[in-house]
Amino acid sequence: MTDRITKVIQTDLVFEIVGILLYDKEKKELDPTAFASSERLEKVQDHFNTFFQNTVLDLSKMPFLSKVILDKAMNYTENLTDVWDSILPEHMLEEITSSGHVKSSLVYPLVNGDEVMGILLFSLNRKYDQLVSYEKESIDSFINVVAVALYKALLDIQLKDLNRRLKSVNTMLSHDIKGVLGKNKDMFRVLLDQDYGPVPDRLKPFVEQSFHDTEQLVHSVIEILESGENFTLKVSSFDLKEAVLDIVKNTKPDADKKELTLEVDIKDDNYTINADKSQI
């Protein structure tokens, strides 16, 4: 997806280089995800991709990009070295500047709420103040669109990973729980069949009940685990406050019968979250 985004922006606005880099808040690093370049920079683009294929950028060594993350604001320079000085070799910077006639670079934060997800980088063959109003407006529009698309893509990746983990846990539980319960059921069956001698009369009802309860539990566990094999989270935006109030409203009749008092104290604020409402 990020490859398509960078190529669309580069083609539509005829920029020399467009790049998307994801931000890792814990590690204070940027992970180059996608780059697109103009035709005259195709050879440089190959070097660029090769160089960044396994490269993670340490923001402590990149003050220009670090400022974008910290200030959550656009940063501008007419010197490509400001952006890549500690990362790209000098000969590559010179090749990019000369081959693409790069005159300036703009870097924008990609923000969702208060969180910075990454940055969007443009390198142009002209200075920013030489851009026409259409180009400036297009850049602002692209920033918002890319931020939303990136957020949804990251959320989708996280959900797929979570679902994969849930299925893995489900498989493990299916094996372990069915194994333990199966052994218990077999043990009670052996006792009832008197393979190890007669069961005392006072214990026989207990063994019979234990056998039937365990057998029923095995069936119940199998049904539960099988129902979760295709479990997926369906995420949407909703008001958590309203969800809590609905739960309290539905629970209140049972609480009243037991002479229990339910009290809710939620301050006025925005409680919109992204989650699977059915799992709340």
Side-chain angles (χ1 to χ4, degrees):
M1 183 198 74
T2 51
D3 289 325
R4 294 199 304 272
I5 291 174
T6 53
K7 192 59 184 175
V8 167
I9 296 175
Q10 186 278 316
T11 302
D12 286 0
L13 298 180
V14 198
F15 288 165
E16 297 305 316
I17 295 174
V18 178
I20 293 177
L21 300 90
L22 298 182
Y23 175 52
D24 187 323
K25 184 177 180 180
E26 293 183 0
K27 297 180 180 179
K28 299 292 189 295
E29 295 175 340
L30 284 171
D31 183 6
T33 303
F35 282 90
S37 65
S38 60
E39 290 185 5
R40 58 186 171 189
L41 276 177
E42 280 188 352
K43 185 170 70 171
V44 180
Q45 172 78 356
D46 291 337
H47 294 315
F48 220 55
N49 284 338
T50 301
F51 185 83
F52 278 126
Q53 191 171 12
N54 297 305
T55 302
V56 176
L57 312 185
D58 183 355
L59 283 173
S60 66
K61 300 176 182 178
M62 308 186 75
F64 181 87
L65 298 181
S66 181
K67 183 175 174 58
V68 177
I69 300 293
L70 293 174
D71 295 348
K72 298 178 184 176
M74 186 268 279
N75 206 359
Y76 172 78
T77 181
E78 294 177 5
N79 187 352
L80 202 59
T81 303
D82 291 342
V83 184
W84 304 112
D85 183 36
S86 63
I87 300 298
L88 293 178
E90 185 177 347
H91 74 275
M92 190 179 292
L93 288 171
E94 292 176 353
E95 187 176 1
I96 293 171
T97 302
S98 60
S99 299
H101 307 292
V102 174
K103 297 293 192 300
S104 65
S105 294
L106 303 90
V107 183
Y108 290 81
L110 297 171
V111 182
N112 177 61
D114 293 327
E115 295 294 322
V116 178
M117 299 177 292
I119 63 173
L120 184 58
L121 176 145
F122 306 112
S123 287
L124 323 177
N125 59 14
R126 51 206 184 279
K127 296 180 181 179
Y128 182 71
D129 57 12
Q130 294 175 329
L131 296 177
V132 298
S133 58
Y134 159 74
E135 292 175 308
K136 293 180 180 179
E137 291 171 1
S138 296
I139 289 175
D140 291 337
S141 297
F142 274 124
I143 297 301
N144 295 328
V145 170
V146 172
V148 172
L150 187 59
Y151 171 71
K152 290 185 175 180
L154 291 174
L155 188 61
D156 185 56
I157 291 172
Q158 293 170 356
L159 287 174
K160 286 181 179 178
D161 181 61
L162 178 57
N163 286 326
R164 178 185 60 79
R165 291 171 183 267
L166 287 172
K167 289 180 180 179
S168 177
V169 170
N170 189 53
T171 300
M172 179 185 68
L173 289 174
S174 178
H175 178 269
D176 291 349
I177 295 178
K178 285 192 294 184
V180 172
L181 292 177
K183 289 178 182 177
N184 289 347
K185 187 184 75 168
D186 291 341
M187 178 189 69
F188 291 127
R189 179 75 270 174
V190 167
L191 291 175
L192 290 174
D193 291 342
Q194 301 187 35
D195 290 350
Y196 293 96
V199 178
D201 290 340
R202 63 177 183 173
L203 287 181
K204 192 171 183 179
F206 167 77
V207 175
E208 289 178 341
Q209 187 63 47
S210 297
F211 171 77
H212 292 302
D213 287 348
T214 304
E215 188 175 43
Q216 181 58 46
L217 186 57
V218 169
H219 289 306
S220 298
V221 168
I222 291 174
E223 287 182 7
I224 293 171
L225 292 175
E226 287 181 348
S227 68
E229 287 182 355
N230 297 317
F231 175 78
T232 55
L233 293 174
K234 298 178 181 179
V235 175
S236 63
S237 295
F238 65 91
D239 190 329
L240 181 59
K241 178 181 177 180
E242 289 185 3
V244 171
L245 293 176
D246 285 342
I247 292 173
V248 172
K249 181 180 178 181
N250 295 330
T251 307
K252 193 174 184 306
D254 290 333
D256 291 340
K257 290 178 181 178
K258 298 178 182 179
E259 298 183 348
L260 297 175
T261 301
L262 291 178
E263 295 183 355
V264 180
D265 183 14
I266 304 176
K267 297 179 180 179
D268 290 335
D269 205 338
N270 181 11
Y271 294 97
T272 301
I273 64 171
N274 292 301
D276 188 337
K277 192 173 183 180
S278 65
Q279 302 300 319
I280 297 296

